[in-house]
């Protein structure tokens, strides 16, 4: 009984027999079964058109499955009324390859946006924005508009916006796709840090380096089906040995916490804003 | 929704009005023109109604005596008229008294009066008061038969014509105002549609971070209301100053024409204009948001 309770409440994402068909007959996902536990860091990999993005969109109810069951953070997304959707989305954070920052708002205003939407008090919003400006290293760029930022800075601002509401689940769709290797590593480190503080992170990526460096759970999608699910996987299953060796070396990179992060987040283990 | 959220949404709406620039100006101008037409028609109808009432309250029937009638004949005629059924009173008006009354109505502008003062063309007359409006035509027929009465002027006929004209102005006004209100709603709706299109990416992001439909829609409603109110303020200002000027001008040029006093009329009219602008703006944006905002 105790184990059953634990099992039930430690799962944050459940996809059971999920199929997604786009009209008229384009099958994007077929009979997907996937459980993700709270606190996990999951890479979703696969070639373009494999169904990764569709699967991600199911998780924040941008798309609705054609059949099957999708449950996220205790919410049955197949039965969720449209009026409840905004409140569900406040429990998750979403990060995109193209950042999706509001072009006419400053970095700080972009970060504060989910807090305004959630009607968080101005005092608390200021505190959280200040904290996240420090965490992502954009304190000096708080008043800058997105157009004045580099790609890496924009993605850090977008990451702060996605995480500022202290989400239970953070979904990142190709977060390093537009970034140079050094900046991509910064973003990876931040995602890792956010995960270490209790947020479940699901990242769809084509980045071999990112996956092999972190050696976390890897779910590979191909032809609309899950073709591989490894607890500590690498990008390519067949090259696991090679990637694994590289990964071990690179893993040091993500375990070393950036100085700014260490300063504003002194300890791990508890989730806070 | 909390007060600070309302403040945030209002600020967003104001910024959108500014960002839309020329389109906002066009929308405000359309509202202003529509409401100005509404105001002009209302003023016309109200003043004609007032004029009708004034005339109705004045003399209903006037009996003009023949120029050759003697004073005794006129006195006898007045007595006979008094005795007629439904007649409640008769007031004899000599030609000299009629001229004095005319001079009083012309006020300061005596240029026209000067020409008739040398030779008074007005006849002696009698103002005849009748108990009910419905009995006027019967009384007119009876007065016409009284000896020494040359002609009878039925003021009710003029009043009836005025009433009909006022009714026509009202119907025409209703049609014009409806057409212009529709145009206003369409123009504001179009402005809001452009705003929705310009902010479609922002709307998508708002949805992703958990904004409710109300949170997304409200700035557009407020934007429509601002445009409507802006147009109403412009038309209200034009009507406020314009009618006061007109009132002074009419008082000077046609002093006997009774116009409604601005102090009583304008505050209510401007209030109505502001409320109408606000409603038309909100209605235009509501229709546009419903059609173009997929939330």
């Amino acid at each position: 009984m105790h184990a059953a309770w634990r099992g039930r409440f430690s799962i944050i994402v459940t996809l059971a027999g999920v199929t997604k068909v786009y009209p008229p007959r384009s099958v994007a996902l077929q009979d997907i079964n996937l459980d993700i536990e709270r606190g996990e860091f999951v890479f979703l990999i696969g070639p373009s058109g494999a169904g990764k993005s569709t699967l991600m969109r199911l998780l924040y109810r941008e798309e609705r499955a054609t059949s099957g069951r999708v449950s996220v953070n205790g919410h049955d997304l197949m039965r969720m009324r449209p009026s409840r959707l905004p409140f569900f989305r406040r429990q998750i954070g979403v990060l995109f390859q193209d950042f999706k920052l509001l072009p006419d708002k400053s970095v700080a205003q972009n970060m504060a946006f989910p807090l305004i939407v959630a009607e968080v008090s101005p005092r608390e919003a200021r505190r959280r924005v200040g904290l996240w400006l420090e965490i992502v290293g954009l304190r000096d760029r708080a008043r800058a508009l997105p157009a004045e930022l580099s790609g890496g800075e924009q993605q850090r601002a977008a990451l702060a916006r996605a995480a500022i509401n202290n989400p239970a689940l953070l979904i990142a769709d190709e977060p390093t796709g537009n970034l140079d290797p050094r900046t991509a590593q910064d973003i990876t480190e931040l995602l890792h840090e956010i995960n270490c503080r209790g947020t479940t992170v699901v990242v769809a990526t084509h980045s071999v380096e990112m996956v092999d460096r972190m050696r976390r759970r890897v779910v590979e999608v191909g032809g609309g089906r899950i073709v591989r699910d490894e607890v500590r996987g690498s990008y390519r299953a067949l090259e696991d040995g090679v990637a694994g060796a590289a990964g071990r070396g690179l893993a040091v990179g993500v375990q070393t916490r950036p100085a700014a992060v260490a300063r504003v987040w002194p300890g791990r283990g508890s989730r806070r804003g | 929704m909390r007060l600070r959220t309302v403040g945030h949404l209002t600020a967003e709406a104001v910024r959108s009005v500014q960002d839309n620039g020329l389109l906002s100006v066009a929308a405000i101008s359309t509202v202003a023109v529509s409401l100005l037409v509404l105001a002009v028609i209302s003023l016309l109808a109200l003043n004609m109604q007032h004029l009708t009432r004034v005339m109705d309250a004045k003399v209903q029937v006037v009996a003009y005596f023949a120029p050759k009638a003697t004073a005794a004949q006129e006195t006898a005629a007045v007595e006979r008229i008094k005795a007629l059924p439904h007649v409640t009173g008769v007031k004899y008006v000599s030609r000299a008294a009629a001229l004095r009354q005319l001079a009083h109505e012309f006020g300061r502008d005596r240029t026209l009066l000067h020409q008739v003062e040398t030779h008074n063309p007005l006849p002696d007359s009698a103002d005849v008061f009748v108990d009910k409006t419905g009995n006027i035509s019967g009384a007119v027929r009876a007065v016409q038969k009284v000896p020494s009465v040359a002609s009878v002027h039925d003021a009710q006929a003029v009043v009836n014509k005025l009433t009909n004209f006022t009714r026509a102005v009202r119907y025409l006004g209703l049609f014009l105002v409806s057409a212009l209100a529709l145009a206003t709603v369409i123009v504001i709706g179009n402005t809001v549609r452009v705003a929705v299109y310009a902010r479609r990416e922002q709307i998508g992001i708002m949805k992703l971070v958990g904004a409710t439909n109300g949170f997304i829609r409200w700035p557009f409603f407020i934007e429509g209301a601002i445009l409507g109110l802006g147009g109403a303020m412009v038309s209200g200002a034009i009507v406020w100053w314009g009618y006061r000027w007109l009132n002074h001008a009419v008082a000077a040029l046609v002093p006997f024409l009774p116009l409604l006093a601005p102090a009583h009329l304008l505050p209510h009219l401007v209030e109505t204009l502001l409320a109408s602008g606000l409603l038309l703006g909100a209605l235009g944006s509501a229709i546009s948001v419903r059609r173009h905002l997929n939330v």
Side-chain angles (χ1 to χ4, degrees), chain A residues 72-117:
Chain A
V72 176
N73 202 28
H75 299 279
D76 184 345
L77 300 193
M78 297 296 281
R79 291 183 185 173
M80 180 174 276
R81 281 181 298 159
S83 61
R84 300 305 307 163
L85 192 56
F87 302 98
F88 159 71
R89 284 186 174 160
R90 291 175 196 178
Q91 300 167 17
I92 58 171
V94 189
L95 189 62
F96 296 93
Q97 182 176 358
D98 59 353
F99 324 126
K100 293 202 190 300
L101 291 169
L102 298 167
D104 56 344
K105 291 192 187 297
S106 69
V107 168
Q109 286 172 329
N110 263 286
M111 288 183 187
F113 199 61
L115 303 174
I116 293 168
V117 163

Side-chain angles (χ1 to χ4, degrees), chain A residues 13-87:
Chain A
V13 172
T14 298
L15 283 89
V18 169
T19 295
K20 174 67 185 176
V21 181
Y22 289 106
R25 280 185 295 275
S26 173
V27 180
L29 293 173
Q30 202 168 2
D31 195 27
I32 297 287
N33 291 289
L34 176 70
D35 279 345
I36 296 173
E37 286 194 26
R38 284 185 193 279
E40 267 197 291
F41 194 118
V42 181
F43 284 114
L44 206 57
I45 64 166
S48 297
K52 299 189 301 297
S53 292
T54 301
L55 199 154
M56 301 285 267
R57 285 201 290 270
L58 293 180
L59 298 184
Y60 56 93
R61 247 301 290 274
E62 184 71 3
E63 298 276 1
R64 206 158 176 268
T66 309
S67 63
R69 189 165 71 87
V70 180
S71 169
V72 176
N73 202 28
H75 299 279
D76 184 345
L77 300 193
M78 297 296 281
R79 291 183 185 173
M80 180 174 276
R81 281 181 298 159
S83 61
R84 300 305 307 163
L85 192 56
F87 302 98

Side-chain angles (χ1 to χ4, degrees), chain B residues 76-90 128 142-143 146:
Chain B
V78 166
E79 290 307 316
R80 283 192 66 173
I81 294 169
K82 274 183 187 169
L84 289 172
H86 306 298
V87 170
T88 55
V90 179
V128 182
V143 172
V146 172

Side-chain angles (χ1 to χ4, degrees), chain A residues 189 192-193 196-197 254-258 261 265-271:
Chain A
E189 284 165 358
H192 173 72
E193 190 64 40
C196 287
R197 305 194 75 82
V254 294
Q255 282 166 7
T256 307
R257 307 173 78 207
V261 175
W265 268 352
R268 288 174 177 166
S270 64
R271 290 178 56 214

Side-chain angles (χ1 to χ4, degrees), chain B residues 28-40 43 227-245 262 265-278:
Chain B
I28 289 174
S29 306
T30 311
V31 177
V33 169
S34 302
L35 293 179
L36 199 58
V37 172
L38 169 71
V40 168
L43 283 173
L227 294 174
L229 197 62
M233 285 167 81
V234 172
S235 63
I238 293 172
V239 167
W240 184 271
W241 298 112
Y243 187 71
R244 291 170 88 91
W245 175 83
L265 186 64
L266 289 180
H268 295 298
L269 185 65
V270 171
E271 275 171 22
T272 309
L273 288 179
L274 294 179
S276 305
L278 205 67

Side-chain angles (χ1 to χ4, degrees), chain B residues 150-224:
Chain B
S151 64
V152 179
H153 171 72
D154 178 6
Q156 191 61 36
V158 179
V159 169
N160 287 342
K161 277 179 190 165
L162 266 176
T163 307
N164 289 339
F165 188 62
T166 307
R167 198 176 293 135
V169 166
R170 274 192 190 152
Y171 286 137
L172 181 72
L174 198 66
F175 171 74
L176 266 176
V177 168
S178 304
L180 285 167
L182 184 68
T184 305
V185 167
I186 290 170
V187 170
I188 288 184
N190 202 40
T191 310
V192 170
R193 184 176 66 86
V194 171
V196 169
Y197 184 76
R199 278 190 270 163
R200 65 194 183 286
E201 199 176 353
Q202 184 175 343
I203 290 165
I205 296 167
M206 288 166 88
K207 284 200 252 181
L208 277 180
V209 299
T212 56
N213 290 349
F215 192 93
I216 295 169
R217 285 173 180 158
W218 265 104
F220 296 109
F221 290 140
I222 297 172
E223 184 175 343

